[in-house]
Structures are given as structure tokens and as C-alpha cells.
Amino acid sequence: MPRLTFGQIQLDSETQILSTPRGSVRLAKNDFLVMQAIMRRNGRLASVSEIAEEVWQYPRNEPEFSNVAVRRSIKKLRGFMELTVGSQCAIRCERDCGYYLVDERREMTAVENVA
């Protein structure tokens, strides 16, 4: 799976580059793995522990405070996405449940089709 796409963002698995229409950034290893875990779910909710399990597949590699590390990565990813795609595509949080990607353009199209 060399490239993941969600809305206007693309994640290249070989180069670890997150691309948007207004810019690209090479992600650090953990930030890349967190983004990959979220993008693989294609808008479905992922708990912090599920993301941590995917990022650190072997328990001995998992840092002591992996939940904090996941949240820190998400904060960085949100900052980049806010600068480059604004609120059209974002990582959202369902309090005490987890994170998911949302594409406002996709949601507006769905609402228009229903109406």
C-alpha cells in the first residue's frame, strides 16, 4: 500500500510524505505511523489504544506513555493540516473514544444527495 488518500490529503508510505493541495511535509516516524493508522480507517473511529497498538506493534517497543505520544503526534498533524487544508479535512476527536478523519467536502456532497 504505497499511497493512502483521504479527501484532499495523501500519505506516501515509501517517502513518509503527507501531501495536501497547498503543501507537503515529510513526517517523523511516529507521526507517519499515527497518520497511517488513522487514514487506514477511512473516517472510522480509532481509539488511542488502537492507534498505539498499530504504531508500536510489539509491546516491548511501546513507550511508557504511548497515549501521550499518540496525542502529541495528532496535535502536530492537526497543525500541519490546519495550515494546508484548513477545516475541509481534519482529524476530529470523539471525547474519551478516539480520533477519526473527516472531509467536509465529502459530507456536503452526501447531504446534497439526500436533499
Side-chain angles (χ1 to χ4, degrees), residues 27-88:
L27 299 175
K29 182 181 178 184
N30 287 346
D31 297 341
F32 164 75
L33 293 171
V34 167
M35 190 65 185
Q36 185 178 43
I38 292 171
M39 286 185 74
R40 280 185 180 159
R41 286 171 172 76
N42 200 28
R44 293 185 317 271
L45 189 70
S47 71
V48 173
S49 60
E50 288 172 334
I51 296 169
E53 286 174 15
E54 194 168 324
V55 171
W56 297 283
Q57 295 176 358
Y58 303 102
R60 67 177 181 270
N61 294 338
E62 189 172 335
E64 186 175 347
F65 299 104
S66 60
N67 292 349
V68 173
V70 168
R71 287 185 180 98
R72 190 174 298 134
S73 288
I74 288 174
K75 182 177 180 179
K76 288 188 248 178
L77 293 166
R78 281 177 161 170
F80 173 73
M81 290 173 63
E82 182 65 33
L83 288 173
T84 58
V85 290
S87 61
Q88 289 181 349

Side-chain angles (χ1 to χ4, degrees), residues 1 3-12 17-19 27 32-44 46 54 81 89 91 100-101:
M1 189 180 320
R3 188 173 290 239
L4 294 170
T5 301
F6 185 86
Q8 294 183 302
I9 60 173
Q10 293 185 344
L11 183 65
D12 189 312
I17 292 178
L18 179 63
S19 301
L27 299 175
F32 164 75
L33 293 171
V34 167
M35 190 65 185
Q36 185 178 43
I38 292 171
M39 286 185 74
R40 280 185 180 159
R41 286 171 172 76
N42 200 28
R44 293 185 317 271
E54 194 168 324
M81 290 173 63
C89 189
I91 299 172
Y100 61 99
L101 278 172

